[in-house]
Every structure is written in structure tokens, then in C-alpha cells.
Amino acid sequence: MQDLLYFSQQLINGLTIGSAYALIAIGYTMVYGIIGMINFAHGEIYMIGAYTALIAITGLTALGLAWLPLILIVALLCAMIVSSSMGWAVERVAYRPVRGRHRLIPLISAIGMSIFLQNYVHLAQGSRNVGFPALIEGGFNFSADGAFEMSLSYMQITIFVTTLICMTALSLFISRSRTGRACRAVSQDLGMASLLGIDTNRIISATFIIGAALAAVAGLLLGMYYGSVDPLFGFIAGLKAFTAAVLGGIGSIPGAMLGGLILGVSESMTSGYLSGEYKDVVSFGLLILILLFKPTGLLGKPEVEKI
Amino acid sequence: MTTSLKKLVTAVSASVALMGAGHAAAEIQIGIAGPMTGPVAQYGDMQFSGARMAIEQINAAGGVMGEQLVAVEYDDVCDPKQAVTVANRLVNDGVQYVIGHLCSSSTQPASDIYEDEGILMVTPASTSPEITERGYELVFRTIGLDSMQGPVAGNYIASQNPERVAIVHDKQQYGEGIATAVRDTLKDKGIEIAMFEGITAGDKDFSSLVTKLKQADVDYVYYGGYHPELGLILRQARQADLDAKFMGPEGVGNKDINTIAGEAAEGLFVTLPPSFDTKAENQELVKAFEAKGEDPSGPFVLTSYAAVQLVADGIEAANSKDPFDVAEALRSGSFETPIGTVQYDKAGDMKSFEFVVYEWHSDGSKTPVN
């Protein structure tokens, strides 16, 4: 019983982190699915989302607002708006001018963008860790007779539920809406879609904006869950989310969700049963294994060479 | 014709160089190298504020051998690679004395360069024993060693009769070093170490670690590392209702841990150098800091002040500006500083230095524990 509780606790920890990874991974996978490039500035967009949310929360609290749901919703909206415009701007500045060139060029311009954004936040917000107020506290505790008590905090529930809502909304959007259909068409064949009258530039911008908005949601959630943000916050998270996207099959949206969850759970299980020192070894080792044996990822479609 | 012209040019440039040297000799450059930015910049602030104050006061009192001290400041971001770059820049700038670095992992690679290039280094904060273990002539410190701090922490934990203790560290030179010293002390006392584990510095998610600590049912957790990680561990432990006491080295003891951990920082135990700013003989100096709007209570403010003062006193005592003579003078003399009477052993460590256990509070204050 003890062991089962311990296992479930580690599973909850892993799923929490994993679902947040999945939210960030969507941004990588959608951009890749549509233009076949990796947006390395995506981790920074997530970090900027977290900072914006923090600034909004601090501002609203200073104004004397006390009703928590309102604070959270306003903070979330601010973060999504700022991050989305960042996502849009990154595409305009770092991608559109070099689109269609050699593959390395947009890659390098994205890395440049990422370094720029990181240093910009360094200068604007300082390099120190900034504490995030704990807004959602408490939770449920489950315990058998023994000493170990499993806890499921309200914050963890919030992360699951929000991720679930975002993912459902995104799936509906992609499968049902007009823009969603256009997105799928562009990802299948960009040239053909444009011949059929789809404004491909608008669709590509939309992809960046959606990815950035979801990253901002993750920024607010993880900022509150962890308890602090710093300008390097996005780097590791971006790397992990990228791994999740590749793991699940880059270009595939369900793949990003699956990859995120697998990564999160494998990290927490490694820390829980082996040692925290091996956490990154296992998650990146997993990436190498997948790339060796199933290069398209778990749910990725094998790439068909077009003639 | 060409040869004489060449000779002329050489002569002119030589004399210009000499004039340059003559000009530089009117002042003594003191390099201050530490983190001005990055995650542990608040310790850098302490270092720079202490060293600047010392330079100011020594200059106001007439300087050293009639010459003024000039501070040259370098930012190493607490990054070993950056520290090496800084050390090379110092060499190029012709600086002969360095106050720094702060992080042990920066001090160690930089000190290799200083020793080779004949630059005297006094670190006000690096506690890793290895720094002075290599038989270097020009390396000194105004702080104790992990091998002194670890036992103080270990003995304190042992005195509380805990049943099980967990030790966590950040896998860096400083954190792991001190964690190992604590572990060895506790083992000697026969206390069970339930866990000895590393985390990755810069990580944010410690939920798995906290769950593991809960499962291991420990009374005490010792953390070797800096405040950004411990702050998060404390906060996440509180959220998960982990009922254990935490303790850390001086690397966690600054007010930034309160902004991260909030209420969870209450009751944390920290080993720190004694509060030199509360000593009666330092009150005049404390007033001088307060007049400038600076806080002298940080652990490295007065150790940095003392480091500058020791360099100045060393130059006076040696009656020479050659770093090797100054080092010789520091080893043979005894100096009165705000951190007490300083005498050096052969390795460059102070012959006596004590760490004190404090209890940290959620408002950023601390009270000594007996």
C-alpha cells in the first residue's frame, strides 16, 4: 500500500510536469508541421509569458484586487496576448524574410532570436530569480495507515484541467474550424494550398500565435507551480518540450501530448526510484533511443519523399 | 639611415612606455572579480560594496605607501568559463592584486592563471578546501573552509538527535564539497544518512525529490548549494506537507531566499560567518556603510573589506609592491581587521575562523542558535 501510494505520487508529479511540457511542445510541433522548421525561440516565448503573468499578478494585487479567479484570468489573458504578439513578431522578423532559403538559415536566425530575447529579459527584469506568489494552495491528502501521505494539490489539478481544456479546444479548432482546416491543408502541401486560394502567410502567422498562446498558459501554470522565474527559465523547458515533440513525432499534435506525458513521467520515475542526478540522462537517452529506432517519433507519419 | 630611424622609433616608444609605467605607478590597481549579474549576484553586491568601502577609506586615510588605490571591477557571473576570461583580462590590464572570486568553482580556475602570472588573490567568499590545497604562493582567503563549515553544520544536526537525515547537493564544487563534509561528520557520530543525492543547478521542479524525502521519513535535510534551488525545494516541500527541518550553508543565507520560499523559509538553519557587523569595534564602519545606504550585514561584506585591507597592509608591511613580497608579508604578519586578527598559515588559510549556526526567518532576519 505504501509503495502504491508512493508510486501514485510520483506518477502525479510526472503527469503534472508532463502536461505542461505538452502545452509547450504544441508550439514546436505545429510550426514544424507547417513550415518544416524548428522554432528555437519558443522556450523564450514561454519564459516571457511567465514574466508577463507575474507582472500582471503583482500589478493586480497592488491595485487591491482580491478575487482570485479574476486575477488569474486577467493574468492569463495578459500573458497570452503578450506572448502571442511575441510569437507573431518572431515569425515576421526571424522567419518570413528567410523562408524558402537553405534550412540552416532560419534555424540560425531562430537561435539568434532566442539569445536576443533571453538577454532582453535579463536587462529589463534583472537576472535574479523572482518569486511567484503562491495563489492556489492546499489540496487533497490520501493516506493509508503508514507514515507516507499522498497529496494531490489544487495547483496540480489546475494544471491538469487547464491542459485538458486547452488541448480539447485546440483539437476542435484544428478539426472543425475553417482556419484549422486551412492549417491542415498548408501542412500537407504549402504550394498547393496557396494555389487553392489559402492565404498561407496568415496561416503561418496563426500557427506561431497559437503555439505562443499555449506556451504562455504553460508559463503561468509552471511559474505558479514551481514558485520562481528567471530569464533562463525558458531554455531548459524549451529543450524538454522539444524533446517531447520529437518523442511523440514532430508535426503531430497528439504526438506532442503523448511525448510530453511520457517525458514527465519518465523524469519523475527516474528521480523517484533511481536518483535525481539521472533525470536528464534518462529523458535525453530516451530521445536518442527513439531517434535511433523510430526516427519519426511515436505517432509521427513516415515522411514520403515527394516526386 | 633606416637603422638610425628604427633606433629613434624604438627609443621614443620605449620612453613612452616608461612614461606610461610611471603614470600607472602613481596608483595601485585593485581588481575586484565576482558576479555582478546572474543567479547569485546578490553575493557579488556584498563583495563589491565591502571592497569599495575599504578602498575609499584607505584612500581617505592617505592611501598605501603614499599611492591611491583604484578599483577595477570585473563580472564573472559565477561561471567558471567567464572567470577564466576575467582572469585573462586582469592579466592584460596589468592588475597585480585581486579581491575575488566569489564562487569556488570560479575561483579555482582563475587562481591557476593568477598564480602563473604573479597576481596576488584574496578571495572573500570561496570556501572550497581545494583552492588552497595546491601549494600556491599567491592565494589567500578571508573566509573559512567547507571543511570547517561542514562539521559545524554536522555537529549541530547531530546535537538535535535526529533519527534520519537526508543530504542533497547541487553537484557543484561548493555544494557537493560541503555536503560531503556534513555527511562525514554525521557518519562519525553514528547518525543514519537516509539519502545522499544530487540535483541539477537551475532545475525548477523538485516535486519528485520532495516526495522521496517524504517517503524516506527524514527529520533533517541538509542542502549543499545556493538559494535559488533551496528556495524552491523549501516551497515545494511546504506545499507537499513535508515535515522536516532544513539546513544549508552560507550560500543559501541571503534575503532572496525569502522572495522565493516566502513563509517556507521560516525556521531554516544556516551556517554563516559570525555577524561581524554586530561587533562593538566595527560600529563606526557599520555607520559608514549605512551612511552610503548599504547593508553591511551580508556574510561577505566585511570579509571583502578585510581582503582589501590585508592587501594594503601587506604592501605596507613588505614595503614593496611585488605580489610575492606581499604574500610573504601576509604569511609572516598578524593583522587587525574588521573580521578579527588575521594570521595566515602556509597554505593561505586563516589560522582561525569560525562559522556560527543561525535560524533564518521569513522576514529575512536571522537569530543565532546556541
Side-chain angles (χ1 to χ4, degrees):
Chain A
M1 193 60 201
Q2 278 297 311
D3 294 339
L4 185 69
L5 280 177
Y6 180 70
F7 176 81
S8 328
Q9 178 77 72
Q10 292 293 14
L11 192 67
I12 292 174
N13 295 340
L15 289 174
T16 312
I17 294 300
S19 43
Y21 284 161
L23 277 178
I24 313 171
I26 294 287
Y28 285 101
T29 222
M30 278 182 75
V31 167
Y32 185 87
I34 288 193
I35 50 174
M37 289 164 190
I38 289 159
N39 178 10
F40 273 111
H42 192 58
E44 272 55 53
I45 301 227
Y46 151 79
M47 176 265 294
I48 287 173
Y51 265 98
T52 315
L54 177 59
I55 293 168
I57 290 173
T58 321
L60 290 173
T61 324
L63 285 177
L65 208 64
W67 197 49
L68 187 62
L70 186 66
I71 296 183
L72 288 179
I73 288 169
V74 175
L76 188 64
L77 284 179
C78 289
M80 284 170 84
I81 292 169
V82 171
S83 284
S84 300
S85 19
M86 281 286 179
W88 177 80
V90 165
E91 199 267 334
R92 287 306 287 259
V93 174
Y95 277 95
R96 195 168 291 183
V98 295
R99 200 192 296 154
R101 307 277 177 81
H102 190 277
R103 290 193 125 194
L104 276 180
I105 294 171
L107 189 77
I108 291 166
S109 79
I111 292 174
M113 201 67 204
S114 144
I115 295 172
F116 166 78
L117 289 175
Q118 229 175 61
N119 285 286
Y120 167 72
V121 176
H122 249 291
L123 288 173
Q125 297 291 326
S127 54
R128 297 178 177 192
N129 280 263
V130 193
F132 220 101
L135 294 174
I136 305 180
E137 280 182 310
F140 301 108
N141 285 326
F142 306 93
S143 129
D145 304 329
F148 185 76
E149 202 175 55
M150 190 187 89
S151 62
L152 175 61
S153 69
Y154 295 141
M155 189 63 228
Q156 287 172 320
I157 298 174
T158 313
I159 294 182
F160 292 134
V161 173
T162 317
T163 308
L164 206 64
I165 294 173
C166 287
M167 292 298 185
T168 319
L170 180 71
S171 304
L172 285 177
F173 175 78
I174 294 288
S175 61
R176 302 283 166 84
S177 77
R178 207 179 152 76
T179 316
R181 220 161 26 234
C183 277
R184 278 181 294 148
V186 172
S187 95
Q188 278 173 9
D189 193 329
L190 193 131
M192 192 63 204
S194 116
L195 282 178
L196 289 176
I198 294 174
D199 184 350
T200 46
N201 276 337
R202 202 178 64 89
I203 297 300
I204 292 172
S205 292
T207 320
F208 274 86
I209 288 172
I210 295 168
L214 292 177
V217 177
L220 169 68
L221 292 175
L222 283 187
M224 280 200 292
Y225 182 58
Y226 293 154
S228 79
V229 285
D230 63 90
L232 293 176
F233 186 53
F235 177 70
I236 295 284
L239 218 54
K240 293 275 170 70
F242 174 62
T243 309
V246 174
L247 205 61
I250 192 147
S252 148
I253 292 174
M257 301 181 199
L258 182 68
L261 293 179
I262 291 180
L263 193 70
V265 172
S266 72
E267 278 189 358
S268 74
M269 291 299 165
T270 316
S271 313
Y273 288 98
L274 206 57
S275 157
E277 293 162 51
Y278 290 103
K279 191 166 94 170
D280 292 351
V281 178
V282 169
S283 50
F284 294 115
L286 208 60
L287 175 69
I288 295 173
L289 278 181
I290 295 278
L291 286 178
L292 280 178
F293 294 106
K294 204 165 181 318
T296 50
L298 294 173
L299 300 181
K301 284 185 231 76
E303 203 162 306
V304 185
E305 202 62 45
K306 289 166 196 153
I307 304 164
Chain B
M1 175 63 200
T2 27
T3 7
S4 60
L5 189 64
K6 253 187 197 162
K7 268 183 190 161
L8 183 68
V9 171
T10 326
V12 169
S13 43
S15 59
V16 168
L18 276 177
M19 276 160 64
H23 175 69
E27 48 192 35
I28 300 172
Q29 291 187 315
I30 305 279
I32 314 173
M36 292 177 178
T37 58
V40 295
Q42 37 289 83
Y43 293 115
D45 292 349
M46 297 174 193
Q47 179 192 354
F48 286 101
S49 110
R52 282 183 201 131
M53 176 63 81
I55 290 175
E56 209 172 278
Q57 293 196 343
I58 291 169
N59 283 342
V64 179
M65 291 170 66
E67 291 171 17
Q68 294 280 295
L69 301 180
V70 179
V72 199
E73 301 180 357
Y74 301 88
D75 183 12
D76 73 359
V77 206
C78 185
D79 172 12
K81 295 186 287 293
Q82 197 67 28
V84 170
T85 314
V86 161
N88 285 320
R89 272 176 52 206
L90 261 149
V91 174
N92 281 335
D93 293 351
V95 178
Q96 286 190 299
Y97 314 96
V98 190
I99 307 305
H101 297 219
L102 191 110
C103 300
S104 294
S105 47
S106 292
T107 308
Q108 180 140 358
S111 63
D112 291 336
I113 297 170
Y114 299 143
E115 180 77 13
D116 284 348
E117 299 291 337
I119 294 172
L120 180 84
M121 183 195 85
V122 186
T123 169
S126 296
T127 49
S128 167
E130 285 165 52
I131 290 165
T132 43
E133 264 170 9
R134 295 162 301 167
Y136 283 0
E137 263 181 87
L138 297 175
V139 170
F140 292 86
R141 54 179 139 204
T142 50
I143 190 110
L145 307 181
D146 293 344
S147 46
M148 305 169 181
Q149 191 175 180
V152 172
N155 285 329
Y156 175 76
I157 293 178
S159 72
Q160 303 300 303
N161 298 318
E163 280 179 24
R164 294 154 68 76
V165 178
I167 297 175
V168 181
H169 59 83
D170 65 359
K171 292 189 284 190
Q172 294 189 13
Q173 187 172 17
Y174 166 73
E176 186 164 1
I178 204 156
T180 312
V182 172
R183 181 188 62 185
D184 295 345
T185 313
L186 287 171
K187 266 191 182 161
D188 287 344
K189 303 244 170 195
I191 288 166
E192 187 188 341
I193 311 288
M195 238 172 94
F196 184 81
E197 196 168 305
I199 57 143
T200 308
D203 219 344
K204 300 253 173 215
D205 173 33
F206 298 107
S207 54
S208 296
L209 174 75
V210 168
T211 305
K212 213 168 165 180
L213 291 170
K214 226 169 137 180
Q215 166 84 337
D217 195 19
V218 293
D219 315 306
Y220 270 86
V221 181
Y222 187 83
Y223 177 75
Y226 295 104
H227 64 276
E229 288 80 23
L230 182 64
L232 290 177
I233 294 176
L234 285 172
R235 182 168 165 157
Q236 294 174 18
R238 188 184 160 95
Q239 265 163 9
D241 289 326
L242 171 66
D243 184 26
K245 289 207 158 54
F246 281 82
M247 185 163 190
E250 91 283 17
V252 306
N254 77 77
K255 288 173 186 157
D256 263 43
I257 199 164
N258 299 93
T259 69
I260 300 172
E263 287 291 312
E266 181 69 44
L268 165 72
F269 294 102
V270 188
T271 44
L272 289 169
S275 305
F276 300 114
D277 59 302
T278 54
K279 285 190 178 171
E281 61 268 30
N282 289 336
Q283 287 319 303
E284 211 164 306
L285 184 56
V286 167
K287 283 201 191 91
F289 275 104
E290 281 163 357
K292 274 175 80 183
E294 287 172 357
D295 175 15
S297 69
F300 306 129
V301 179
L302 293 181
T303 58
S304 301
Y305 185 100
V308 175
Q309 195 199 321
L310 283 164
V311 169
D313 290 353
I315 296 174
E316 295 271 7
N319 199 22
S320 152
K321 282 184 289 189
D322 181 52
F324 287 95
D325 295 342
V326 178
E328 192 47 50
L330 285 176
R331 282 204 173 81
S332 51
S334 163
F335 304 89
E336 285 305 321
T337 71
I339 60 168
T341 309
V342 174
Q343 283 181 305
Y344 279 107
D345 63 9
K346 207 173 163 311
D349 291 323
M350 290 161 68
K351 282 184 179 160
S352 71
F353 192 91
E354 58 171 329
F355 284 95
V356 183
V357 179
Y358 287 94
E359 187 177 353
W360 200 263
H361 301 296
S362 57
D363 59 357
S365 62
K366 55 182 193 269
T367 43
V369 174
N370 297 316

